[in-house]
């Protein structure tokens, strides 16, 4: 069957009793606090695009860009921000996040998810401090790299933490709290940019960059008060404490079945001395494929083009500086609202439905935006006078596009990889997930302005092509993971039409062994 089957849990034909447990106030508050780790990532995404349109900031650090922008308003608008130094300021963070995510894997596995969050908060705070007081471009880039180290640690640990803490029936909604925090961070950054840009004296950009210290403090303090996950405690030998913690998290005393599976998963994990090498085994082929392709496709939706450079983009298509910042605020509000839709629907409608619906929505919007910009700007990049209805149309379809991303590839790009990995490879695989995400975030951020200059309105068609490819991939190769306990996740691969040839029952002594025989997909002969 195309796309793999949907497997039910608890009375759904797999023969397994679902783990007992409730969505307790304790675990809800814990997951909300942990999800705040997304604020640092979101704040940075939003703040960097706005700051790079502030005239005093450009005059001080990127004077050639400012001179090109001001020299002749009738010149090619596609190319006014084309500067490798400017894009290095934005994208250096993601190169640093890539490097730190590799170290964060070991910290997260051996020392726990909490400590990894703490490191993330402290590093991000240091980077924000340096950027707020920057006197030269090198200080900006050093600060950005420290911010990147912080993002790498946070993005490594927070999604894992949320997936391990949440009851399986609510795992999707609670995990998407991370993406909600990212969108809230983007929105706050856009609003602050709008007001800080109006400060007389031209030093508002310092407040924008230095303001990143606030979300850094939130995750730092949060990491000190949060409990560790039972999975992590068992992994580090704290077995009895983990049982007590599991009872508190689930709000019931009957946790024997889930606890037994967690211990079995930990025992299997301890047999793995080299999780990075272990990832290359045949039985982990589906996991490794998803860890690479999901973040790869997430970045090639084109969303970071919109969110990094929304003010630049709107400025380029003819809005004034104030109007472009306000348009970015509007897309930020849409982003937050649509993420709430995902929280509501992810455990109700399933991951695959949201992936596919969001893909269709983004594809249509990218085609319309490409047509609108192509009709007015052509290939010369000189639009002349832009009518108001045109600007409203472009903003409207960009907002619909952002909504499609925000309830599909945005949150699910973090949720699905964090819930599909067995404990023995979980930290290493999540590190691959974060690393691939950051590699392509870096690449897209670094080449976007040059691509805009050369591909012009065709840039949106470039990303639309990848939306088609990723939607086909989801339809055929991504199984539904809704309602599957995290330590039982391997059953989805054994029942999948394609991945079942790589995963045999003998590979997993626990994790869905009581599945009915009739629920298995075809085996490779």
């Amino acid at each position: 069957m195309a796309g793999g089957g949907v497997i039910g849990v608890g009375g759904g034909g797999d023969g397994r009793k679902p783990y007992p447990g409730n969505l307790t106030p304790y675990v809800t508050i814990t997951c909300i606090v942990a999800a705040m780790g997304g604020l640092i990532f979101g704040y940075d995404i939003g703040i960097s695009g706005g700051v790079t349109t502030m005239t005093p900031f450009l005059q001080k650090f990127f004077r050639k860009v400012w001179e090109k922008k001001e020299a002749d308003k009738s010149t090619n608008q596609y190319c006014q921000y084309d500067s490798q130094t400017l894009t290095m300021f934005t994208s250096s963070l993601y190169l640093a996040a890539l490097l730190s995510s590799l170290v964060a894997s070991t910290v997260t596995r051996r020392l726990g998810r909490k400590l990894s969050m703490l490191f993330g908060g402290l590093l991000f705070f240091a980077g924000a401090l340096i950027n707020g007081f920057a006197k030269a471009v090198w200080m900006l880039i050093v600060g950005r790299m420290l911010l990147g180290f912080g993002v790498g640690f946070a993005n490594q640990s927070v999604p894992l933490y949320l997936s391990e803490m949440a009851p399986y029936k609510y795992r999707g909604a609670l995990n998407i709290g991370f993406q909600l925090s990212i969108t809230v961070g983007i929105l706050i950054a856009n609003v602050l940019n709008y007001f800080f840009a109006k400060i007389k004296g031209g030093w508002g950009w310092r407040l924008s960059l230095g303001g990143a210290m606030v979300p850094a403090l939130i995750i730092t303090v949060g990491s000190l008060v949060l409990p560790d996950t039972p999975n992590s405690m068992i992994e580090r030998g704290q077995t009895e404490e983990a049982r007590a913690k599991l009872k508190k998290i689930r709000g019931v005393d009957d946790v024997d079945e889930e606890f037994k599976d967690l211990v079995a998963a930990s025992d299997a994990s301890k047999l793995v001395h080299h999780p990075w090498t272990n990832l290359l085994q045949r039985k982990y082929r589906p996991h490794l494929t998803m860890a690479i392709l999901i973040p790869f496709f997430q970045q090639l939706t084109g969303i970071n083009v919109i969110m990094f450079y929304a003010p630049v983009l709107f400025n380029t298509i003819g809005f004034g500086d104030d109007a472009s910042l306000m348009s970015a605020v509007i897309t930020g509000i849409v982003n937050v609202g649509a993420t709430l839709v995902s929280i509501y629907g992810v455990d109700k409608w399933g991951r695959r439905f949201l992936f596919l619906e969001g893909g269709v929505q983004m594809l249509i919007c990218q085609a319309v935006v490409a047509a609108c910009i192509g009709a007015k700007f052509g290939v010369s990049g000189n639009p002349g006078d832009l009518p108001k209805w045109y600007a409203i149309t472009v903003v409207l379809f960009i907002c619909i596009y952002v909504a499609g991303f925000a309830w599909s590839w945005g949150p699910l790009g973090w949720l699905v990889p964090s819930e599909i990995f067995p404990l023995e490879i979980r930290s290493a695989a999540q590190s691959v997930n974060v690393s691939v995400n950051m590699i392509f975030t870096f690449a897209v951020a670094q080449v976007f302005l040059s691509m805009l200059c050369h591909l012009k309105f065709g840039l949106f068609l470039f990303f639309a092509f990848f939306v088609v490819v990723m939607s086909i991939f989801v339809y055929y190769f991504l199984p539904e993971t809704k309602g599957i306990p995290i330590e039982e996740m391997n059953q989805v691969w054994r029942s999948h039409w394609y991945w079942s040839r790589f995963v045999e029952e003998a590979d997993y002594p626990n994790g869905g062994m009581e599945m009915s025989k009739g629920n298995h997909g075809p085996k490779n002969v």
Side-chain angles (χ1 to χ4, degrees):
M1 182 178 71
V6 178
I7 303 172
V9 175
D14 63 6
R16 263 199 95 73
K17 173 187 173 187
Y19 299 143
N22 306 306
L23 183 60
T24 61
Y26 176 74
V27 78
T28 302
I29 293 170
T30 296
C31 287
I32 289 172
V33 173
M36 293 294 177
L39 283 175
I40 63 174
F41 192 28
Y43 185 89
D44 181 80
I45 290 173
I47 217 72
S48 56
V51 163
T52 52
T53 65
M54 294 183 186
T55 297
F57 179 80
L58 291 176
Q59 287 175 326
K60 183 172 181 63
F61 296 107
F62 304 99
R63 194 164 187 87
K64 287 184 179 179
V65 176
W66 173 74
E67 289 171 353
K68 185 192 296 186
K69 178 185 171 187
E70 295 298 315
D72 184 357
K73 295 294 186 181
S74 66
T75 57
N76 190 334
Q77 296 291 295
Y78 291 121
C79 299
Q80 64 172 330
Y81 287 96
D82 186 14
S83 164
Q84 289 302 307
T85 311
L86 181 60
T87 49
M88 180 56 77
F89 161 70
T90 300
S91 57
S92 58
L93 179 146
Y94 303 98
L95 198 58
L98 159 66
L99 298 175
S100 69
S101 66
L102 303 177
V103 178
S105 167
T106 303
V107 173
T108 303
R109 187 180 190 212
R110 295 186 180 176
L111 303 179
R113 285 56 167 153
K114 280 180 54 175
L115 200 61
S116 194
M117 289 186 218
L118 176 64
F119 287 161
L122 292 173
L123 288 164
F124 200 85
F125 183 89
L129 193 65
I130 291 173
N131 271 354
F133 289 99
K135 299 288 186 184
V137 172
W138 71 266
M139 288 182 71
L140 283 179
I141 292 178
V142 168
R144 292 284 294 169
M145 296 196 74
L146 286 171
L147 293 175
F149 292 142
V151 166
F153 273 95
N155 287 10
Q156 162 76 19
S157 53
V158 173
L160 288 186
Y161 184 94
L162 293 171
S163 286
E164 291 178 349
M165 288 292 285
Y168 70 88
K169 290 181 288 188
Y170 305 101
R171 186 178 63 244
L174 291 175
N175 190 290
I176 289 175
F178 176 67
Q179 177 69 16
L180 179 63
S181 287
I182 292 176
T183 62
V184 169
I186 292 170
L187 176 59
I188 291 171
N190 287 335
V191 172
L192 292 178
N193 276 337
Y194 180 75
F195 288 106
F196 290 160
K198 296 179 179 296
I199 293 178
K200 292 182 179 178
W203 52 274
W205 62 268
R206 293 193 181 276
L207 293 178
S208 291
L209 295 177
M213 289 186 285
V214 176
L217 284 173
I218 291 173
I219 186 176
T220 300
V221 174
S223 68
L224 296 174
V225 300
L226 288 172
D228 222 333
T229 68
N231 313 60
S232 180
M233 295 170 76
I234 293 170
E235 202 171 20
R236 289 177 288 126
Q238 302 169 8
T239 309
E240 290 310 310
E241 297 94 325
R243 182 191 287 272
K245 185 64 66 180
L246 189 60
K247 288 181 180 180
K248 187 173 182 180
I249 289 170
R250 300 292 178 247
V252 295
D253 289 329
D254 181 17
V255 296
D256 290 346
E257 187 173 6
E258 183 174 5
F259 183 74
K260 179 184 70 176
D261 284 346
L262 292 179
V263 171
S266 178
D267 289 342
S269 173
K270 289 172 184 174
L271 298 175
V272 178
H273 300 294
H274 304 288
W276 291 97
T277 307
N278 209 50
L279 264 175
L280 301 177
Q281 291 185 33
R282 179 181 172 85
K283 65 180 178 180
Y284 297 127
R285 196 73 50 79
H287 311 81
L288 184 59
T289 300
M290 297 303 162
I292 293 171
L293 288 185
I294 288 178
F296 168 75
F297 284 140
Q298 187 190 50
Q299 296 313 309
L300 287 171
T301 57
I303 187 63
N304 280 344
V305 170
I306 302 296
M307 304 318 291
F308 283 158
Y309 299 106
V312 173
L313 188 65
F314 289 128
N315 195 308
T316 297
I317 61 176
F319 297 175
D321 289 348
D322 270 4
S324 66
L325 286 170
M326 180 50 71
S327 299
V329 170
I330 293 169
T331 58
I333 293 171
V334 171
N335 202 10
V336 172
T339 304
L340 292 172
V341 172
S342 188
I343 288 175
Y344 171 79
V346 67
D347 291 314
K348 181 173 292 189
W349 306 323
R351 281 66 159 156
R352 280 168 49 82
F353 171 80
L354 288 173
F355 266 130
L356 295 171
E357 190 284 332
V360 171
Q361 188 169 321
M362 288 189 290
L363 178 62
I364 292 170
C365 292
Q366 283 166 323
V368 172
V369 170
C372 287
I373 295 179
K376 285 293 178 183
F377 285 76
V379 294
S380 69
N382 184 3
D385 292 327
L386 292 172
K388 189 174 182 180
W389 66 264
Y390 164 84
I392 292 172
T393 301
V394 173
V395 171
L396 175 63
F397 276 94
I398 283 179
C399 285
I400 297 172
Y401 164 84
V402 168
F405 176 85
W407 60 51
S408 64
W409 279 90
L412 300 180
W414 294 107
L415 165 62
V416 172
S418 74
E419 68 183 0
I420 63 173
F421 304 134
L423 184 63
E424 64 267 22
I425 61 165
R426 190 168 295 158
S427 289
Q430 178 67 2
S431 187
V432 171
N433 179 50
V434 174
S435 297
V436 173
N437 193 299
M438 293 305 152
I439 287 170
F440 285 97
T441 304
F442 169 80
V444 170
Q446 189 64 26
V447 304
F448 162 66
L449 292 176
S450 290
M451 288 176 71
L452 179 62
C453 183
H454 293 93
L455 293 179
K456 303 172 175 60
F457 62 88
L459 180 63
F460 291 93
L461 299 178
F462 171 83
F463 289 117
F465 167 78
F466 281 100
V467 170
V468 173
V469 173
M470 66 183 70
S471 297
I472 293 171
F473 171 78
V474 166
Y475 183 78
Y476 284 104
F477 295 104
L478 184 68
E480 181 58 70
T481 54
K482 178 186 77 171
I484 308 293
I486 192 170
E487 300 303 345
E488 301 291 308
M489 194 61 70
N490 285 301
Q491 58 184 278
V492 304
W493 309 114
R494 292 205 303 272
S495 62
H496 190 272
W497 73 274
Y498 179 77
W499 298 120
S500 58
R501 70 193 67 192
F502 297 100
V503 180
E504 303 293 337
E505 284 194 8
D507 290 330
Y508 297 101
N510 70 308
M513 284 302 294
E514 288 125 341
M515 288 174 57
S516 63
K517 299 286 185 185
N519 201 29
H520 288 221
K523 295 294 180 187
N524 190 30
V525 179

